[in-house]
Structure formats: C-alpha cells, structure tokens
Amino acid sequence: MDTALNVLERVINYEGIDEKMKKLKRKCDRLESREEDVKAELQYAERLSLKKRRKVVENWLTDVASIKNEVKMMEQQVRESSWFSSHLLHESKIARLTEGVTELIQQGQFPKGLTLEVHGNQQTELITTKLIGQKFQQHKIVVWERLRSGNVSKIGVYGMGGVGKTTLVTPIHNELLAHPDFTVSWVTVSQNFSIRKLQSNIAKKTGLILENDDDERERAANLAQSLRKMNNLVLILDDVWQDFEPYLEVGIPLGRNECKLILTSRSSEVCDKIGCEAKIKVGELSEKEAWELFIDKLEHGGALSPGIEAIARSLTKKCSGLPLGIITMAGSMKGKEDIIEWHDALEKLNNSVAEHHDDMGLKVFKVLKYSYDQLKDPKVQQCFLYCSLFPKDYNIDREILIELFIDEGFADGLRSRQAELDRGHTVLNKLENACLLEAGINWLDEKKYVKMHDLVRSMAIQIGRAKFQFLVEAGEQWREIPGEEKWAEDLKKVSLMDNLLSHTPSSISPKCPRLKTLMLNRNFHLEIIPDCFFGHMPQLSVLDLSHTGIKNLPTSISELVNLIALWLEGCQELKYVPSLENLKALRRLNLRKTDITEVPHGLDMLLNLRYLNLEETAIEEISDGILSKLSCLQYLAIDSQLDLSDITRKVRGQEIVELSKLETFKGYLYDVSDFNTYVRWREENGGPNNYVLLLTMRALTGTIKYIDTKDELSKKDVRLFGCKISKSKGGEESFVLPKDVQHLLMENCNDTASLCDIPSLHNATKLSGCEISSCQGMEHVVCSCCSLPLIQYLDSLDLYDLKELRALIGAERCCASASSNLLQPDMFSSLRRFFLYDCPKIKRLFMRDLLPNLKNLVELAVHNCHQMVEIIGDASDEDEDDENEDAVSATSSIIHSLPALTQLRLFGLPKLKRFCTTKIAFDSLKKIDIYQCPKLSFNGDRVQNDGTYRVVNSRIGERIG
C-alpha cells in the first residue's frame, strides 16, 4: 500500500515538474524578448548618438546570456530523463532558475535608461537673468581674464546669499559652451556636501562610471584620469559650503594644461581654503542699479505715477541692494495699480520682523517673508510651505505636486477632479509669478516641474517649523530613521523622503498624535517597517511610501482609519497589501508598478475612494462587480501600457458606465461588442473626459517594438491590438470609435488596406495623432480623394513594420474618373511629425504635389525602408524607378520648400538616391542625420555613408557627429 502511494506521489510530482518547466520556458521567452529590445535599442543609440551602454546594462546582458544557457540545458535534461526518477532531482534547480529569470525581467526595466553620453558633456545653455549694473559687467570681464591666464586655475566668486553669484556665473557658462577652445561642466554642490557625492556628480557629467565599492582615493584617481582627457575643461561648482582638496580628495586635476575651476560660495574663507588664486566678491547693487532691476522685473510697460514711483523706490531701498530681494519684491507687486496697495506693502515691510536670525541675514528674510505674507490666501501659503518638504534643489514634478495638494485638502469643496487640478495649476502659477517658485521642463520626458531657491526654501522651512510643526529631513543622507527625540508630539508634517534609509528599528514607535502627513518615499533600500511604527499616529491622513523597497506593509496600516491617501507607486517588491476594509476615509490608492497579485481585500468597501491606480501590477483578475461599487471614483487606471503578455485585467463596459463621477479611465475592455456598447453609451450620456481605451482580440505577446509608450499620449486615447476594425461583413458588428478621440494606435489590425476602410473615422473630428504598427493588410494610409477629418487635423503620424505599404496616398480604385487622383487641398496640412520605419515595399514617400501642404512639417524620420528611392517624387507606387535618372542638379531652380522642417533622419535606405527630383529650400533645417544611405545625394551634394551634417542655405555642410 505504501509503495503504491509513493508511486502515485511521484507521478504527481513528475507532472508538476513538467508544468514548472513550461512556466520557466514562458518566462525565459519573455526575458529573451526584452533582451532583443535592449540590444536593438543599444545598437541604434550607440551608432546614432555617440552613446555607450551603462555598466549595469552590460552586466544584465551577461547575466541574461548565462541564465538562458542554464535554462536550455535544464530543458534538455528534463526532456532526456527516463520516466520520472531523475526528474525529481531537477525540481529545486527549476525553482531557482524561475526565480532568477523573474528577477532579471524586473531588473530589465532600467528606469535611468540604457546609455550614457560617451563624453558625458550634455551641457545645455542655461537660462540667464539680465545682468544689471557696472560691477556685474566688470566681474564678468575679470573672470574671463583669469580663465585665459596660465597662472590661475581656481577662481572663487563669493558673497552673501541671494546677491547674484549664480546670476554672474551663468552667462559665463553659456559663453564657454559656445567657445571652441573650452569644454564646460556645471555641478551644483549645495549644503548637503560629501566628497563621494561630489565625485559622483562630476563623474555623471563626464560619462565616467565610478564604482560605489571603491574608496574615495581610487575614485579620485579614476576621475582625474577621465577629466584629463577633456579639452580645456572649465568645471563650475555652484554653491560650495565646505572646503576640500580638489585633486587629492576629489580628483580634479588643476594646472596650466589641465582643468580650471570656478566656484561660488557664500564664504570667502571657503575660497581661501580651497586655494583660489583669484577671488571676486559680489556685493549689493547700488541704489540706481537696484531701481533698474526692480523696474525690469516689475514689467509695468509704462511710467509709474509719481505717487506709486515714490513708494516703489522706498520698497526697493528696503531690499538693501540684494538682487533676490528686489526680484521677489517686484514679483509680489506686479500688476498692482492701486496706490493703497503700495502704501500697505511699504507699511507691512516696515513692520516685518524676522523670526529667525540665520545665515540668510535679517534683510533677506524680511523681504522673502513679506512675499509670503502677500500671498494672503492661507491655502496658497500652505501650498507654498508644502514645497519645502521636498529636498533642496529638487525638481518637483508639477502633476504629482498638484495630486498631493488634493490629498492635503488644499482644493476641497470643488465640484470635480478637473476643477481641483485647475486650482492646483492656478496656485502654482501664482507662486511662480511671485518668484517664490522657479519653473522648468525636464528635457527627458518634457514634464513640467517647479523648484525652490535654497534661500526661499530655508525661509519656508522656518515658517513651517514655527507655525505648522514641520519636520523636514528630506535628502539629508539619513541611513536610519531619526530617533524618537526628533518626533515631537505636536508634529503635523514629517518628510524623510529621498534618504538612504534601509530599515526601521523594531522598537521605534513615534508618539505623534497630531501627525497628518508622513513622506518616506524614494528611500529605495527601505524594506521593512515594523508593525508598531504607526501605532501612535491616529490622525495620519497622507502616507507616501512610493519608490521604496518595502516587501510587506505592516498590518497596523489597516488601523489608520483617518487615512485619506496611500501612495505605493513603484514599490516593485511589494506583493501583498493587508485588508483595507477599515479605511473608510481613503480617497486615493496608488498601487502602480507594485508586484501585488490580488486586489486588496476590502477594496469594494472603500466607498469614498476617488482615485485608484492598478497599472503595471501583477494582478491577474478583477472580479466583476468590485469596481461598480466604488461610486465616488473620479480616476480609474487598470492598464494603459502596451505590454501585451498575459492581459487578463479586462473590465466590462457596463461597470464603467455605472461610475457616474468618473473623469479619467484607462483600461482594457472585453471585446468589440463591449467596447462599442461603452462608446455609444458615452456618446449619449457623457462620461470620462480623459480616457485610454484598450482592446485586444487575439493572443499577442511581448511589448510593442516601436510605439511611443509614454503614460499618456493624449487625454483621449484608443489603442487596438489584433482587432477587426474595417467595414463590417455579414452579421459582424462595425467597430465604433469615440467621436472625440485624439490619438489612435493600431497594432496587428490586418483587415484594412487603408484608414478609409474604417467607417467611424469619418466622425473622429478631433484626431491629431495616429500610430500604425504591423498592420500587414495596409497598402496605403489614405486614398487621394479621402474625406476623413484626419487628413486636415492630423499632427503626428507614425508608421511601423507595414510589409505591404506601397504609398502614403493611394489612388481610389472605386472611383473611375481621372479626377479621383487629385489631392484634397488641405491634405496633411497640419502634419508636424512623421515617422516611417521598416516598410520594405514603399519607394516614394510623398508626391511632389503634396509639398505645398507640408508647410508645418517639423520632424521627418525614415528608417529601414529598403526599396525607398526618393523621399519626394512624381511617380506612383506602381511605377518603376529609372536607375539611370540623374540626381538633382546643384544648379536646379528652387521651386518648393519645407519651411518648418528642423529635424531630418534618414537611416538604412540602401536604394535612396535623392531627397527630391527638384531642389528643395530648407528654411529651418540645421542638421540632418544620414546613416546607411550609400547612394544618396542631398540637393546635389554627395554625402558620406554615415554622419550628422549641418545644413546651410539648403546645402549640406560639414559633418558634425
């Protein structure tokens, strides 16, 4: 009997191992797909942009190759094993390999990108402020004289905070950037200083990867070796607070034929200790210069009345010649015409008393504090102070900041989420206009951010600490949670974000009965929070744990009955969330990019929930009926990404219909019928103003190879994968698009030869962006007599991997008249961006008759189209190319132009002979990238096979990259 049971158990184990092997193989296939994408992107980036792969990427590729080999050997061993006896020996190894493959898939996201610049010098021209005063101009001349001198290698620019040191050095940086004899790098040092951090920041600018395990002397030697290779490097270190030895400690080689150093500091002593051979003190402006700066920043546009001018001069005098004070004062008075307001401003400034005497100086604090007081609206003031919870010099994402404003109740009482977002933008605009926040745009993702000047932040922290019980230790390199002595009982907001916290002592349980906000986000190594930690925080309403390494949430979170917002985005190790059923007050739950596999228990009981984000989680299924119970939802994101593997988180259109307050929805719908039902209901009854509707009708795996995968391509977005979308046949239901769709993405939709075959596109009057990939039935994008609204309003068009595409515009075969080939007068007249990749049959992109319509085209890229003969021509797609036809003559008369085109990329076009059969005028084109186009002549100029070229007066110039 025992023997029989033993045999049965072995058989079951054998079958289990077989399933585990299949699961391992599926995961390995997914890893291999990511590997292929990474290699393709690396190959393109390294060839095109003079970039090199990051060390972490190189190590990852090595690990992937190794584990793929192990999986292959394991698969062979399992296949060749006799019966099941030896299979049991493989079980632990299969489990290990599965865990390893899963880990590599997660590591393969590379949020910091795959590559670094070869020379690392990605310096861009900095925004400058007008230099007011003769002294500034004199200082600038002195700096340049010292730079050219062979006897000076270290220049110190010093003065009190806010006096204009950075303002002086910024235009020098920009002039160095354009100077052929110098290379320049700018590094902001700030008060949070360490040798290791300074080394890392300089290395980042030079493209050097410093190993964290190396000691500082090894890092200094490697850094010095890298800097010596740069051409006459001028290193600008802004806001230096502590002295250091540039060469021995940091690795900055200084001397006649090596680097030169410019540093700014508030301390003359720091400049002396670092060994500056030349020192320049930046002092206050004269009364005349101060008045000139005040008027410049006031932007009044005309003469002030005598009464207001007298008061304005008094206000300017109160700023004691300090540029920062003058700029903030002028910003607070901008647009005020009533003399009473000017009298009031002067009276308040006369009576203002600084509450703290720190390094800012009493005068600066008074001026900045006055600008804060002038905000008047307590909620606007609280929004301003809230920005001080972020680290110094931190670029605060504008959208995230506004979401936090909503969580904090700064926009309560408004009728809709959109109204709350609008209020947030209005508040930030007001703070920017008052010169209390600085605005910027991140060049990587084009997202807007705000940041605080360090003096403004110091003032805000002082006010927050004194009046609103703030504790701010953000970005201070804490490795452990501060001791309980720092956690005063009256604290209301605590920020420990962006530190190096790795654990929380099991005994610590801060007694903070009034604490409302706790920010622990961006502590990437924080894995464990003890259950007792939240035990004495009964009023906690906003908890931000996003982008931490936390693996399990403490169960005590379930007892935070006043919690309004729980941020867990980017907690990629988090697999489980405890029951939420007691969190009746919860309005926001952000689980994006976590590894949870199940919908948290009690979610359907959160009747006050307004924001729910489940994107990019490991949740396999959402049970019917859960979402429809969340009647207060305004924002719901289930999925918007283009990862097509294992899509099971689909939702019924009927559930979304029942959410009457929903303003934003992102997710997959079940099928065409469900999709159409939802779209028709929305057209009749209204619905989410912002949406990303996704539909897939057959099994697809992997991730879209080319499509832009930004979180939101537009506010009204439809993405279709493997769907039948052309005219209905027989009893099939026609596909229905929302009338207000702004962006359409189609992938593997193979039943259409042209966009003209999609009936509902005739009603899509707002469509401005279209991406088409791997639609193998498509022969042309539109027909010549097309009446679709998109031909007039389309802003961007991206075509990828269309094997049968022969022309952008095809002849309408159903029209017999010769006039059917005439182009519509407004066809593609709004087009600004056009990408064409991997379309092997197309020979000519545009007909010459279309050129007058392309007056708005800014960016054009054509890659890997192996039959492409010319970009613009007269022949139809059926005509054969005349191999003996001469390229355009350099003396041809200019009869056409592309006036707005600034970027042109031609890559992998082996048969491309010319851009056009006639000469084209390029009024805006500055450079063109040409790779693997061996036959190409450009406006009569023969070009080399690979390179980036300047274009001057429509002629190709020297190679620049």
Side-chain angles (χ1 to χ4, degrees), residues 259-270:
C259 300
K260 291 182 181 289
L261 180 66
I262 300 175
L263 63 89
T264 71
S265 177
R266 299 185 191 181
S267 169
S268 174
E269 185 179 4
V270 168

Side-chain angles (χ1 to χ4, degrees), residues 126-147 155-160 162-176 184 186 236-239 262-265 278-285 293 323-324 327 453:
L126 302 176
I127 298 174
T128 59
T129 298
K130 182 179 178 182
L131 295 179
I132 301 291
Q134 186 178 358
K135 287 183 179 179
F136 268 103
Q137 301 299 336
Q138 291 173 347
H139 292 332
K140 183 179 170 184
I141 292 171
V142 170
V143 172
W144 268 107
E145 288 176 349
R146 299 297 185 266
L147 283 174
I155 303 169
V157 178
Y158 71 97
M160 69 175 293
V163 80
K165 302 180 294 295
T166 303
T167 300
L168 169 63
V169 175
T170 300
I172 295 172
H173 166 274
N174 291 345
E175 291 171 19
L176 284 167
V184 63
W186 180 295
I236 299 175
L237 301 183
D238 188 38
D239 199 16
I262 300 175
L263 63 89
T264 71
S265 177
K279 290 198 308 178
I280 299 170
K281 181 179 180 180
V282 181
E284 295 84 4
L285 298 175
L293 179 60
L324 177 62
I327 290 170
H453 187 283

Side-chain angles (χ1 to χ4, degrees), residues 687-702:
N689 290 325
N690 307 321
Y691 57 79
V692 180
L693 303 181
L694 302 101
L695 183 65
T696 177
M697 296 308 299
R698 60 187 179 86
L700 298 172
T701 59

